[in-house]
């Protein structure tokens, strides 16, 4: 008798791949990352390590010291544009990844052009109004491209409240409720969990559909 | 009319219902929301005109800052 658990175990082994096979799928994939802060820098690094072929990374900002409590940058990179510094760091981790870095403020007019060839787009903004803008733009104007977002990741502890929910082409990682404030700042561990959950969701989309 | 709102059955006492009406009736006061009707995104500028019909599946999500 096939019950639900056996069915999922069967699926898991049926789709099992070794790392060379995983890389051979991922090297032909392109992922857009909107924002190179806490979510974007950590998510991009995870995707670079597993060998996603092309990463299109976008940010307009410059690294400041307070970013280093969660963002994948180094002390000697303070003052450098985030998009350029992240490209340097990815190249040092995995030079096989083609990184297209844009020093740009993303908006509803330029997003469709910059991310048009992507298999998946990752939302990695800090501000809620920017998250709303990219969700409405990608779901409304770029049909067929999945969007992975990060919502609710501040503070510490409560690791198990961070989860992924999916509705159509929208994938939401995070706890959905903890807003970033001065009293409840975003910190490396929970931002890292959420950023890596975004990366893990990207892999799920890329590898399960290949 | 009967709709599904965030996976729960709801009866809204209106014959005609826009997204803006629904947000008011159900007291969604939060500014940053994402609205989907039957899987299709409804943009902010369409809230006043986008109509919800009997049996529609509506999702309203809250967006918060942090990243």
């Amino acid at each position: 008798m096939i019950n639900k658990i056996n069915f999922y175990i069967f699926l898991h082994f049926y789709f099992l791949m070794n790392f060379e096979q995983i890389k051979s799928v991922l090297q032909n994939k392109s992922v857009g990352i909107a924002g190179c802060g806490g979510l974007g820098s950590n998510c991009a690094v995870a995707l670079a390590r597993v060998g996603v072929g092309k990463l299109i990374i976008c940010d307009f900002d410059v690294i400041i010291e307070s970013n280093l409590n969660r963002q994948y940058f180094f002390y000697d990179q303070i003052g450098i544009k985030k998009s350029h510094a992240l490209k340097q760091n990815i190249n040092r981790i995995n030079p096989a990844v083609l990184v297209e870095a844009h020093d740009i403020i993303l908006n509803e007019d330029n997003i469709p052009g910059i991310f048009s060839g992507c298999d998946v787009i990752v939302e990695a903004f800090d501000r809620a109004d920017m998250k709303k803008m990219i969700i409405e733009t990608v779901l409304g104007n770029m049909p067929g491209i999945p969007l992975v977002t990060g919502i609710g990741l501040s503070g510490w502890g409560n690791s198990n409240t961070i989860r992924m929910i999916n509705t159509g082409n929208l994938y939401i990682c995070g706890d959905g409720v903890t807003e970033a404030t001065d009293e409840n700042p975003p910190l490396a561990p929970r931002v890292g969990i959420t950023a890596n959950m975004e990366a893990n969701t990207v892999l799920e989309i890329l590898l399960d559909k290949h | 009319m009967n709709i599904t709102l965030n996976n729960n059955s709801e009866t809204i006492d209106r014959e005609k219902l826009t997204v803006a009406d629904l947000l008011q009736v159900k007291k969604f006061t939060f500014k940053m929301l994402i609205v989907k009707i039957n899987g299709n995104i409804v943009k902010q500028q369409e809230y006043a005109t986008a109509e919800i019909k009997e049996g529609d599946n509506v999702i309203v999500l809250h967006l918060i800052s942090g990243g």
Side-chain angles (χ1 to χ4, degrees), chain A:
Chain A
M1 194 179 94
I2 297 176
N3 62 29
K4 203 174 174 184
I5 292 170
N6 281 337
F7 179 67
Y8 282 114
I9 291 172
F10 164 75
L11 279 183
H12 182 74
F13 281 100
Y14 186 79
F15 289 109
L16 222 51
M17 292 183 280
N18 64 35
F19 186 50
E20 291 308 313
Q21 292 169 316
I22 292 168
K23 271 200 299 188
S24 73
V25 175
L26 295 181
Q27 72 184 10
N28 298 313
K29 303 294 184 183
S30 173
V31 177
I33 298 183
C36 301
L39 288 173
S41 62
N42 287 293
C43 181
V45 162
L47 294 173
R49 287 191 192 280
V50 294
V52 170
K54 184 176 180 185
L55 295 173
I56 301 175
I57 59 173
C58 304
D59 203 296
F60 66 93
D61 217 350
V62 167
I63 299 163
I64 56 175
E65 189 173 350
S66 63
N67 298 150
L68 299 181
N69 69 357
R70 65 190 186 284
Q71 304 186 14
Y72 207 108
F73 299 113
F74 299 94
Y75 198 86
D76 61 11
Q77 290 179 316
I78 289 170
I80 302 176
K81 287 280 186 180
K82 290 184 181 180
S83 58
H84 298 160
L86 184 57
K87 181 177 180 171
Q88 287 174 2
N89 296 346
I90 291 170
N91 285 340
R92 287 177 63 193
I93 292 166
N94 185 353
V97 180
L98 182 66
V99 183
E100 189 181 303
H102 293 268
D103 173 23
I104 193 171
I105 298 176
L106 290 170
N107 58 44
E108 58 187 13
D109 296 321
N110 59 28
I111 283 173
I114 289 173
F115 293 133
S116 63
C118 292
D119 296 289
V120 185
I121 300 170
V122 175
E123 175 278 313
F125 292 130
D126 51 358
R127 278 169 30 199
D129 60 323
M130 293 294 281
K131 293 177 189 285
K132 180 176 169 72
M133 180 278 293
I134 194 169
I135 293 171
E136 291 186 350
T137 302
V138 174
L139 269 58
N141 303 352
M142 304 177 74
I145 302 187
L147 177 69
V148 181
T149 67
I151 295 167
L153 41 75
S154 288
W156 65 89
N158 296 310
S159 303
N160 292 345
T161 59
I162 296 174
R163 79 285 186 262
M164 192 277 283
I165 56 174
N166 170 223
T167 157
N169 262 340
L170 180 63
Y171 299 77
I172 302 169
C173 301
D175 64 28
V177 289
T178 52
E179 182 140 38
T181 61
D182 287 344
E183 292 72 34
N184 195 35
L187 299 169
R190 282 187 115 239
V191 172
I193 293 171
T194 310
N196 282 284
M197 188 177 276
E198 286 191 295
N200 200 27
T201 303
V202 170
L203 289 194
E204 204 174 335
I205 294 165
L206 295 178
L207 294 174
D208 288 357
K209 284 184 180 169
H210 89 96

Side-chain angles (χ1 to χ4, degrees), chain A residues 70 125-129 131-132 135-136 139-141 151-153 167 172 176-180, chain B residues 30-36 39-45 47 59 61-67:
Chain A
R70 65 190 186 284
F125 292 130
D126 51 358
R127 278 169 30 199
D129 60 323
K131 293 177 189 285
K132 180 176 169 72
I135 293 171
E136 291 186 350
L139 269 58
N141 303 352
I151 295 167
L153 41 75
T167 157
I172 302 169
V177 289
T178 52
E179 182 140 38
Chain B
F30 202 74
K31 267 187 182 173
M32 287 298 149
L33 299 170
I34 288 294
V35 179
K36 292 174 91 179
N40 299 313
I41 192 91
V42 180
K43 296 188 182 186
Q44 180 85 35
Q45 59 267 32
Y47 284 3
I59 290 177
L61 299 168
H62 291 82
L63 296 181
I64 51 177
S65 292

